[in-house]
């Protein structure tokens, strides 16, 4: 299992403007991550991606602990926090500290999916949101297609809805859909009458085929797969908001998602820093602790600075969202790209400072586990998903150049 | 000359500064736009001699109450609730137009000012009040030819012996900002093996100020060596007590480090604004430079760095104003990262401007380019008030604990 | 299997000073890698590290093709090339292009081990070298210990030889020893009478225990493990050179090894570049090929430059060695650190430019394989082994500062 | 002043250059040590006006046969077998002492010289021979106020009409090196919609040379605008033929790009040497700066970059001398990487020197510091003779094929 070690967060970061209810959420998420995720993360990540390996227990426990209710208002049956997005970002950070697989499952279950429903009619919302918050059903959001990654435009989205009675039949293929192999329903971006729209599709029906899970570089605890829609039925009432609003809804959901993914980067980066500091203090070379080597002191001082800034950037984007900005830019784009970049940067140095131990997941001699090799693999994904970092930079540039 | 749009208003959303500091920012920006911008070119390209000191502007800053920003009402200051936040935005806005001017402000009002707060009521009346009113020009004298970042009783050669009511001081100080025009300097020295801080009158007998150094940039910031030869200073001019010299110096540098970080932010923002303005207008390959994806993404990275650096500076200042007298590691982070960003951005900015970014003054029509000035100015910020490597040591100490730092 | 795609090497690199016999070696190694390694590399890397998964067939084929003979003179029974180290570096480059596991096995079998034997008596050499070149026996070199990584000094090496009759009994523990689980004998750095010495130890004897293989971030096709020496017997004739020469021998072997590892970095980097260029030309985004995006054009132009320089640096170090420099510094240190750094740098961008496909090893939908995630994992190791890159920089600095 | 040890001899082992070029390097290094070094400070810190042109040194270079390095014996050159290799080490050695001087050499001998090789025998006699003997000072005129990297018939505004045996030329050129003291310039212009290259006498009627530009660095390299107003040029001064102007310009820039890469290497090496020398002597924290592991490892990275850049420059030159007229992508790699290394190294070098790295001239004793000069000089190398972004486009074209580059 993952060993809890001294956290350096308090040494290098002082929060400002963080409400105490958010600190309470952090404590709850941290307790869960430390006592329930950490013990099983190695086993979870060592098994290849199979439907049977989905961490259903942890997903259910997050529901019991009320974590899926955090992003929602009391009226919606949620936790009713003053700064729900900030609290959700903190949950992501604490989950990703031990497992980015769990963090991204959380993201898809209640942040992306739930955000889509906030654009839906009261009736539609109330027929899905309670199941999301209770964890009784697993949700997913299907935007990406084999020939359209970050490019979300009507011309490039090939999934189409054809009228059939009081609803539609969907045809198309979605790719890299997180949670798809275990999900009960999916929000699907498709074209209705040639305009981008978002519909809710029951996945447990004929006309839906979910491929075997993809095998990935890291994050084996979360499953991605293709969803093939071959005439799946969608009742007209399952249209979110109205036809033509699909892109707006997707961007709205991805705004929350991107803040959350930035925060997951911060969590991974913090874990890398803590593991590295621990190692540097205990490992001796040439008669001195690694922590006495100026080269590593300066490298990790730089990383610590980057982590502190990335964390504030995510919190700032979240707070602006909580204060009413639907699209808090450029902070959201900055938080996503910078938070995830910092994680991959420090993961590389974390492996390096561990030397040979950074490259092993399990030492043959005594079965000791080392987490940094997993973090090295895990941290690369977030630079890509929910809009590659290049797309984020392009969004910042567009704001800057006024286009 | 058309000034570029201030992208800070589009790209940055303040979530830290109290309203008081935001008001100070608006006020300083107006002052800079009206009083500094028209003279900025000259400030940034002059040749270092005593005549280059911007006396009129210095007086205008005094009249506008800029030197009172960090201080309480009892000595003629503004008595703000968040004085360091206000000083931080003051420096940022000054550096946006002229880093040399920002450095004059820092080395007049902030560093000696902070040291004088340790003085007796009489010292504050005689030195701090004229400093704030602008009737005296102040200097901070720490560095010596053989002592920069490494301040210890045996590296500081300036020393004094007591003779009745006076200290007799001998030594030499280096890179002393404002010295060629200064009236007094708060001076780190050694007495009986202990470090102490003293206010030395620069008009006193035994003082020689060397000719100004010629520098890469920050031209209007005049620096010089100061020789002290049997200079007699009244004992009442001692700040704090003997043995507290390093403490007082470091307390002053606490202010200095945060604001120097902010000076980097101001320079970086100015360079970014200039680039975007230029790129939107410069035609190339049948479009504009602004169409080139490479530069779009690269400047997006820089914009992110600038926002991060700004937040870090404000955070450090706010932590200080809320009572943390050593806001570590944020203060060190603010200093090193804010100034590094300026260096990164400046190098790119000159590249964007091409040959025009490299001219101090175009022979054909006398044009000057702000990015060229920033490229020259920015480097020193990575060095002074604690080189960035010193800041990284401080951060490493927070991270690892001091037992690992020899 | 790994698909052969267009190689960009000829587009971005022009060799100078490369003898034609070396080009012949390159062609031979490339043919082997493309036709025999590439088809099995995925299966090899997908299985976790077990003794049974050691690629014994490939190891034998390299012997049949005479690849282990390349570093040796005709008198030694080797290929008798004019520039043997350059040729060996090229072999490493071509092997690592498809599999760094195979490259590092090759390195241990004939470069490190063989180099140690060149310091040995004729008799000792001839009782092992023919087996190395024929591949009938598997060799390994055991320097690292649990408490001594890059720090090789008498005080830190805990493996000691105690006199026993006409030889010694060895006690100690070696760590991260490549090939250990399958090796027949090992060169072991130990102290004899308190001075560092190198001895050849038969691993198939009582008193030798090899741990189960370590589980690693990447390079699953090559096995590392602890070797525990608990009274293993070494006859006096198995001492290489003489007592007290252990460090000198180790450094001599590591000189060849470091050049070779640098070259393996170049091979991996070239593979990343080729895969990325192929992907950029075929993948379209926003109606344009990725190859039309200036951001990626410039990033990979920079990477191509770094690869070209890293390759020349490795060749230069190799040539200086071939021309008679036992320790061609600082080029060897530069080649090791720079060649491996370039590989890790470009691997990160290769994953990035592949987007979601960069993060999957096997797409669930149709079982398509993607190699860049493997390269991302594989490229991190060489920044660490055979002297971390920080140690290489320190060696350069020492030369520069005259200490 | 004690000159630092040349670390090139310790850290770099040449494996590419022919013996001939190595001999040229030894010769040039001796010339630089004896003739340039004593004046280097002045070259690197002077103010740009016509009087600053180093006439004596220019004559000494001519006498020593430096301008003949790239040329055949038939026009007074050395007739080397590997002329571009020799020119590359010449620039590298000059830039080690003064990048401004290296640029004078480049813009006198290499660029106009390469263009003149396309002229008639008469043109070569009238212009190339005096260029080599140093009796004329040459310039290359490509850039215009609105045309830098983007050279097309509709971006070049300098144009001519034919009138009997002369071309009548009108237009304006920008950043023309050596113009304030030049005798002629090889000039890119447009006639009937086609680009062509012409030798224009700078003493001709209708020529106005503006005052020199003031620049960040490369001070002794004088640049200025040149106005052409109904300047009459004999038709015999045409180089090559009409329509070949761009081709001739690019062929000249092929030489230029490789040697500018080498100028970056020379500057970077000088900065590294200075740093090591300084660090071994500067005391700090009870040891020397050289004991600090952070700087040791950082400079090891820089040393590696410098070796790589040097090999790449030599390789490009050697490929050229062996017959490849467009040694791509090596030429583009040499230009961008060689100059980028200089920028990276210079920024670190100033940081190592701290405040001393930032002074152009220390007021107290008039000291100057080479690293400060290099910091100012290096930036322009990333810009001129094809900005580094243009080089990356060229590399991308080699890598991807031109169909992907719009």
């Amino acid at each position: 299992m993952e060993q809890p070690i001294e956290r350096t967060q308090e040494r290098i970061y002082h929060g400002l403007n963080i409400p105490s209810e958010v600190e309470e959420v952090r404590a709850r998420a941290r307790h869960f991550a430390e006592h329930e995720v950490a013990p099983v993360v190695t086993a979870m990540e060592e098994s290849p991606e199979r439907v049977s390996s989905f961490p259903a227990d942890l997903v259910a426990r997050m529901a019991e602990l009320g974590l899926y209710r955090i992003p929602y208002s009391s009226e919606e049956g949620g936790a009713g926090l003053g700064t729900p997005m900030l609290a959700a970002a903190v949950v992501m950070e604490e989950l990703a500290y031990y497992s980015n697989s769990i963090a991204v499952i959380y993201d898809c279950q209640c942040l992306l999916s739930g955000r889509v429903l906030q654009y839906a009619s009261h009736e539609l919302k109330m027929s899905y949101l309670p199941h999301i918050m209770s964890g009784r059903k697993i949700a997913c959001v299907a935007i990406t297609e084999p020939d359209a990654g970050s490019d979300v435009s009507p011309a490039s989205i090939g999934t189409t809805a054809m009228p059939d009675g009081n609803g539609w039949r969907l045809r198309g293929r979605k790719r890299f859909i997180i949670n798809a192999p275990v999900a009960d329903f999916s929000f699907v971006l498709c074209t209705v009458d040639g305009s981008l729209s978002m519909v809710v599709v029951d996945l447990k029906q004929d006309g839906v085929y979910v491929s075997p899970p993809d095998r990935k570089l890291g994050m084996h605890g979360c499953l991605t797969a293709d969803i093939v829609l071959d005439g799946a039925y969608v009742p007209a009432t399952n249209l979110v908001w109205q036809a033509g609003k699909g892109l707006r809804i997707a961007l709205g959901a991805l705004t929350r998602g991107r803040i959350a993914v930035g925060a997951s980067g911060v969590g991974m980066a913090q874990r890398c820093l803590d593991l590295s500091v621990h190692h540097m203090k205990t490992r001796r070379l040439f008669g001195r602790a690694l922590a006495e080597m100026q080269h590593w002191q300066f490298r990790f001082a730089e990383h610590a600075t980057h982590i502190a800034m990335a964390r504030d950037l995510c919190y700032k984007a979240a707070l602006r969202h909580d204060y009413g900005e639907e699209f808090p830019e450029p902070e959201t784009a900055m938080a996503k790209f910078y938070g995830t970049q910092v994680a991959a940067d420090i993961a590389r140095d974390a492996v390096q400072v561990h030397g040979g131990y950074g490259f092993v997941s399990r030492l043959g001699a005594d079965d000791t586990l080392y987490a940094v090799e997993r973090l090295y693999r895990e941290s690369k994904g977030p630079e890509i998903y929910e809009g590659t970092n290049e797309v984020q930079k392009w969004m910042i540039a567009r704001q800057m150049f006024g286009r | 000359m058309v000034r570029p749009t201030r992208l800070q208003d589009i790209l940055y959303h303040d979530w830290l500064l109290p309203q008081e500091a935001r008001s100070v920012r608006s006020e300083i920006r107006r002052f800079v736009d009206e009083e500094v911008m028209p003279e900025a070119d000259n400030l940034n390209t002059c040749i270092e001699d005593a005549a280059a000191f911007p006396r009129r502007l210095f007086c205008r800053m005094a009249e506008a109450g800029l030197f009172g920003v960090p201080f309480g009402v009892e000595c003629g200051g503004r008595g703000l609730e968040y004085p360091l936040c206000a000083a931080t935005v003051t420096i940022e806005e000054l550096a946006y137009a002229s880093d040399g001017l920002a450095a004059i402000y820092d080395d007049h009002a902030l560093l000696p000012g902070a040291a004088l707060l340790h003085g007796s009521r009489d010292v504050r009346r005689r030195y701090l009040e004229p400093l704030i009113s602008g009737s005296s020009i102040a200097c901070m004298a720490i560095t010596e030819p053989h002592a920069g970042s490494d301040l210890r009783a045996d590296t500081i050669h300036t020393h004094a012996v007591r003779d009745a009511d006076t200290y007799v001081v001998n030594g030499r100080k280096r890179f002393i900002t404002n010295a060629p025009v200064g009236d007094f300097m708060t001076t780190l020295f050694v007495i009986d093996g202990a470090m102490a801080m003293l206010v030395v009158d620069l008009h006193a007998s035994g003082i020689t100020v060397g000719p100004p150094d010629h520098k890469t940039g920050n031209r209007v910031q005049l620096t010089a060596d100061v020789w002290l030869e049997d200079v007699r200073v009244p004992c009442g001019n001692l700040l704090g007590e003997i043995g507290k010299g390093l403490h007082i110096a470091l307390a002053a540098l606490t202010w200095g480090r945060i604001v120097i970080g902010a000076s980097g932010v101001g320079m970086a923002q100015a360079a970014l604004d200039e680039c975007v303005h230029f790129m939107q207008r410069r035609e190339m390959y049948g479009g504009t430079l602004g169409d080139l994806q490479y530069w779009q993404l690269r400047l997006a990275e820089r914009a992110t760095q600038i926002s991060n650096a700004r937040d870090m500076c404000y955070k450090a200042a706010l932590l200080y104003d809320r009572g943390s007298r050593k806001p570590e590691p944020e203060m060190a982070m603010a200093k090193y990262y804010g100034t590094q960003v300026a260096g990164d951005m400046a190098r790119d900015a000159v590249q964007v401007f091409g040959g025009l970014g490299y001219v101090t003054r175009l022979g054909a029509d006398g044009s000057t380019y702000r990015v060229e000035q920033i490229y020259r100015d920015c480097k020193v910020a990575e060095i002074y008030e604690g080189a960035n490597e010193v800041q990284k040591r401080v951060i490493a100490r927070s991270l690892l604990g001091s037992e690992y730092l020899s």
Side-chain angles (χ1 to χ4, degrees), chain A residues 48-251:
Chain A
E49 295 90 336
R50 289 196 201 95
V51 174
S52 60
S53 65
F54 181 75
D57 292 355
L58 295 176
V59 170
R61 277 293 289 152
M62 289 198 279
E64 286 169 34
L65 292 166
L67 296 181
Y68 302 140
R69 295 171 59 238
I70 284 169
Y72 301 102
S73 66
S74 323
E75 300 79 59
E76 292 167 313
L81 298 174
T83 56
M85 187 61 228
L86 178 60
V90 164
V91 171
M92 287 292 290
E93 187 185 339
E94 294 295 332
L95 294 176
Y97 185 85
Y98 282 112
S99 167
N100 196 42
S101 294
I102 298 300
V104 82
I105 290 171
Y106 178 82
D107 179 31
C108 288
Q109 174 72 4
C110 71
L111 282 167
L112 294 177
S113 306
R115 176 63 183 160
V116 172
L117 282 175
Q118 288 178 317
Y119 292 99
S121 68
H122 182 73
E123 199 169 37
L124 182 57
K125 186 202 278 189
M126 280 307 140
S127 63
Y128 286 97
L129 193 52
H131 297 304
I132 286 176
M133 289 193 284
S134 71
R136 276 197 303 277
K137 291 193 173 176
I138 304 292
C140 64
V141 178
I143 296 175
T144 303
E145 300 194 353
D147 296 316
S150 296
D151 177 12
V152 180
S153 63
S156 61
I157 292 294
T159 302
T160 53
M162 302 299 292
D164 181 12
N166 199 16
W168 297 279
R169 295 273 170 196
L170 253 60
R171 288 186 200 283
R173 179 186 282 264
K174 294 291 180 178
R175 175 147 290 175
F176 300 136
I177 306 308
I178 294 166
N179 286 351
V182 294
D184 295 289
F185 60 90
S186 176
F187 298 90
V188 175
L189 186 68
C190 61
T191 57
V192 172
D193 294 339
S195 69
L196 282 176
S197 308
M198 189 71 84
V199 298
V200 192
V201 181
D202 181 359
L203 294 178
K204 308 296 186 195
Q205 63 167 305
D206 289 345
V208 173
Y209 165 74
V210 177
S211 76
D214 305 317
R215 299 283 296 269
K216 305 188 300 302
L217 172 57
M219 300 172 62
H220 299 164
C222 90
L223 306 177
T224 65
D226 282 17
I227 298 179
V228 181
L229 299 157
D230 189 19
Y233 184 70
V234 178
T237 49
N238 272 19
L239 174 67
V240 181
W241 198 351
Q242 59 191 58
K245 294 292 188 186
L247 184 59
R248 171 74 181 279
I249 296 167
L251 294 179

Side-chain angles (χ1 to χ4, degrees), chain B residues 145 149-150 152 172 174-175 211-218 225 227 282 284-286 294-295 340 343-344 347 350-351 354-356 358-364 372 375-380 382-383 388-389 392:
Chain B
S149 298
D150 183 18
R152 284 178 288 114
R172 179 176 180 184
R174 172 147 290 177
F175 297 137
D213 305 316
H214 284 211
K215 306 182 306 305
T216 310
N218 270 23
D225 280 21
W227 284 263
R282 181 76 170 180
M284 190 169 213
Y285 302 128
Y294 171 78
W295 281 117
Q340 180 184 295
D344 293 344
R347 186 166 168 191
V350 172
Q351 193 69 19
L356 297 176
Y358 200 68
V359 297
T360 308
R361 193 171 296 280
L362 192 68
E372 190 270 348
Y375 180 76
R376 290 187 288 101
D377 291 353
C378 66
K379 189 72 193 80
V380 76
E382 292 192 307
I383 295 167
N388 285 1
E389 291 69 34
K392 289 179 193 175

Side-chain angles (χ1 to χ4, degrees), chain B residues 99 218 221 257 260-261 263-265 267 335-336 338-340 342-343 376-388 391:
Chain B
D99 194 53
N218 270 23
Q221 176 196 10
R257 287 198 275 156
I260 292 303
S263 78
V265 173
M267 286 189 274
K335 160 62 171 74
Y336 116 69
T339 58
Q340 180 184 295
R376 290 187 288 101
D377 291 353
C378 66
K379 189 72 193 80
V380 76
E382 292 192 307
I383 295 167
Y384 59 25
E385 314 220 354
N388 285 1
Q391 309 307 322

Side-chain angles (χ1 to χ4, degrees), chain A residues 146-151 173 175-176 211-219 226 283 285-287 295-296 341 344-345 348 351-352 355-357 359-365 373 376-378 380-381 383-384 388-390:
Chain A
D147 296 316
S150 296
D151 177 12
R173 179 186 282 264
R175 175 147 290 175
F176 300 136
S211 76
D214 305 317
R215 299 283 296 269
K216 305 188 300 302
L217 172 57
M219 300 172 62
D226 282 17
R283 179 82 179 165
L285 187 67
F286 302 118
H295 171 73
W296 288 121
Q341 177 182 291
D345 283 346
R348 183 169 170 186
V351 171
Q352 189 70 22
Y357 299 96
F359 203 63
V360 298
S361 52
R362 191 181 278 278
L363 192 68
E373 76 83 26
Y376 182 72
R377 293 184 285 106
E378 237 166 55
K380 189 68 196 85
E383 289 202 305
I384 295 168
T388 66
N389 285 1
E390 290 69 35

